[in-house]
């Protein structure tokens, strides 16, 4: 309220959630030593239908005015190379060469975290779409935010007078604590949207009572993204040890029970990619992924290997990252 309507950097009506062309899966990716964390994210993004459709259209590169490094141009070239190559595997050379531009913390040859690489990659792609004179609302209309972006609603209720305060926050992914009540993804999500009383350290001063008061907080999905990316936190924040429990996750996820407005229609999302970490600790091990290609079939993608698998195999993994598309 009171703000100008945002400019639309990319019009949402141009986003296609269905593959424009159906073909066999593309090439695998060579591992040059501890680069599996890069490979799994590149593969999951390559098989994200609305992103792949956009990148394969040449729309960005034809109008790009970036000087030097541009993550969107890099991804465009990479996706085209993977999906058109007749080789069994290719080298993601441009991504490896410009690793420091994607995230300053990444060091070539060192084991890194796939989730952090995903966040940095999406952020770098988002920046590549921006010009310097855009307001915050307009910045959230890039192709990256149109695909991966959503809004959370946080409602704080005063337990003394029942007054409510709402706030909203944009997100590109959602990180979930699986330490407690984590037998299934739906259980974790139900716990997230359950109102919780604020800790006494979180001093809430009610604007109606004009005093500090006990309050509860409820977080819901206010606007769902077209592609929902979930991270099941497998590093215990207190001990640093890996949480290896199996968390059941569905092929089809209905977001309706976790929305701010539950009076609407069911909001069904379909699983199309997962990332798995194998290893005893979070500081070492190996990343691999499973992705659904444009032909509708699932494949296990382990660096240069791309092999057929079925949905039962996919749903039986100790997942770290989950990708769902509306």
């Amino acid at each position: 309220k009171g703000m100008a309507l945002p400019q639309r950097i990319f019009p949402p009506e141009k986003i296609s959630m269905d593959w424009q062309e159906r073909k066999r899966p593309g090439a695998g990716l060579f591992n040059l030593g501890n680069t599996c964390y890069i490979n799994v994210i590149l593969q999951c993004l390559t098989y994200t239908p609305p992103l792949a459709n956009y990148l394969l259209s040449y729309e960005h590169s034809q109008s790009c005015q970036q000087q030097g490094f541009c993550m969107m141009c890099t991804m465009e070239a990479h996706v085209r190379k993977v999906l058109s190559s007749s080789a069994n595997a290719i080298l993601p050379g441009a991504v490896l060469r410009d690793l420091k531009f994607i995230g300053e913390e990444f060091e070539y040859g060192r084991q890194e975290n796939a989730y952090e690489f995903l966040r940095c990659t999406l952020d770098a792609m988002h920046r590549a779409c921006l010009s310097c004179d855009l307001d915050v609302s307009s910045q959230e209309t890039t192709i990256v935010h149109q695909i991966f972006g959503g809004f959370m609603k946080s409602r704080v209720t005063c337990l003394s007078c029942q007054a409510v305060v709402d706030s909203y926050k944009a997100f590109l992914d959602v990180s979930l604590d699986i330490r407690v009540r984590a037998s299934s993804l739906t259980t974790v999500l139900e716990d997230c949207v359950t109102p919780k009383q604020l800790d006494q350290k979180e001093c809430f001063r009610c604007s109606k009572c004009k005093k500090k008061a006990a309050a509860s907080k409820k977080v819901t999905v206010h606007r769902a993204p077209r592609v929902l990316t979930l991270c099941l936190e497998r590093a215990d924040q207190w001990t640093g040890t890996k949480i290896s429990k199996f968390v059941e996750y569905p092929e089809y996820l209905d977001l309706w029970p976790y929305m701010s407005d539950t009076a609407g229609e069911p909001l069904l999302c379909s699983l199309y990619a997962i990332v798995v970490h194998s290893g005893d600790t979070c500081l070492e091990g190996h990343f691999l992924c499973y992705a659904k290609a444009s032909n509708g079939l699932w494949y296990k993608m382990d660096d240069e290997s791309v092999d057929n698998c079925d949905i039962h195999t996919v749903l039986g993994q100790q997942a770290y990252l989950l990708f769902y598309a509306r």
Side-chain angles (χ1 to χ4, degrees):
K1 292 182 179 180
M3 294 177 63
L5 288 174
Q7 303 175 49
R8 291 197 303 174
I9 299 175
F10 187 84
E13 59 270 17
K14 292 178 68 174
I15 296 174
S16 174
M17 296 299 291
D18 296 316
W19 285 100
Q20 298 300 292
E21 186 179 352
R22 297 185 181 276
K23 52 168 56 168
R24 64 173 181 80
L29 302 177
F30 286 116
N31 186 333
L32 292 189
N34 289 331
T35 57
C36 57
Y37 74 95
I38 296 173
N39 290 346
V40 292
I41 298 305
L42 291 179
Q43 292 289 42
C44 289
L45 293 178
T46 296
Y47 295 96
T48 298
L51 179 63
N53 289 334
Y54 173 75
L55 295 173
L56 292 171
S57 73
Y58 286 113
E59 183 160 346
H60 178 82
S61 60
Q62 287 175 347
S63 59
C64 182
Q65 298 179 350
Q66 291 277 342
Q67 299 297 316
F69 170 73
C70 171
M71 190 62 199
M72 196 63 83
C73 287
T74 297
M75 282 300 299
E76 183 180 291
H78 174 80
V79 169
R80 297 191 73 85
K81 187 177 179 182
V82 167
L83 296 181
S84 63
S85 177
S86 59
N88 290 330
I90 65 167
L91 180 67
V95 176
L96 295 173
R97 183 189 65 234
D98 293 325
L99 196 56
K100 285 293 183 183
F101 293 108
I102 301 172
E104 292 182 358
E105 66 271 33
F106 299 123
E107 187 174 315
Y108 182 73
R110 186 177 68 190
Q111 177 69 283
E112 305 280 4
N113 189 287
Y115 178 46
E116 292 306 317
F117 185 73
L118 170 66
R119 301 189 74 171
C120 289
T121 299
L122 292 181
D123 187 54
M125 291 170 64
H126 169 66
R127 292 196 308 270
C129 300
L130 299 177
S131 59
C132 59
D133 58 346
L134 291 169
D135 59 84
V136 173
S137 296
S138 296
Q139 290 177 18
E140 290 168 354
T141 65
T142 63
I143 181 67
V144 175
H145 272 268
Q146 296 279 14
I147 294 174
F148 297 94
F151 279 88
M152 288 292 188
K153 176 181 178 180
S154 176
R155 167 163 288 188
V156 177
T157 303
C158 175
L159 298 180
S160 176
C161 70
Q162 303 305 306
V164 298
V165 177
D166 292 336
S167 59
Y168 304 87
K169 184 178 180 180
F171 68 88
L172 290 176
D173 60 78
V174 179
S175 189
L176 299 172
D177 186 348
I178 62 171
R179 288 174 302 166
V180 184
R181 298 184 68 240
S183 59
S184 69
L185 177 61
T186 52
T187 303
V188 177
L189 292 173
E190 287 166 4
D191 185 61
C192 288
V193 299
T194 301
K196 298 174 181 63
Q197 187 161 341
L198 291 178
D199 189 282
Q200 288 183 343
K201 297 177 182 177
E202 302 178 77
C203 295
F204 172 72
R205 183 175 291 277
C206 180
S207 58
K208 186 176 180 180
C209 293
K210 304 297 181 184
K211 62 180 182 181
K212 291 181 181 179
S216 68
K217 182 179 181 180
K218 182 179 181 179
V219 178
T220 51
V221 179
H222 188 68
R223 192 186 77 192
R226 288 175 173 82
V227 169
L228 175 66
T229 306
L230 301 173
C231 174
L232 306 183
E233 296 176 357
R234 294 204 170 271
D236 189 296
Q237 60 179 320
W238 303 114
T239 65
T241 57
K242 182 180 175 181
I243 301 173
S244 299
K245 68 169 69 172
F246 175 73
V247 178
E248 183 182 359
Y249 48 94
E251 182 179 5
Y252 299 100
L253 176 66
D254 185 6
L255 287 182
W256 177 78
Y258 320 111
M259 300 291 293
S260 302
D261 181 7
T262 55
E265 295 293 319
L267 196 58
L268 207 60
C269 297
S270 176
L271 185 71
Y272 73 89
I274 72 169
V275 170
V276 177
H277 175 266
S278 62
D280 296 328
T281 75
C282 297
L283 300 177
E284 57 186 9
H286 180 64
F287 289 103
L288 62 140
C289 67
Y290 295 78
K292 185 190 287 189
S294 61
N295 60 7
L297 301 178
W298 280 94
Y299 295 86
K300 178 182 178 181
M301 300 181 180
D302 189 352
D303 290 330
E304 61 268 24
S305 301
V306 177
D307 301 308
N308 281 84
C309 68
D310 57 34
I311 185 61
H312 300 294
T313 300
V314 175
L315 296 179
Q317 300 301 311
Q318 193 185 101
Y320 177 42
L321 302 178
L322 299 167
F323 295 81
Y324 284 92
R326 279 166 61 175

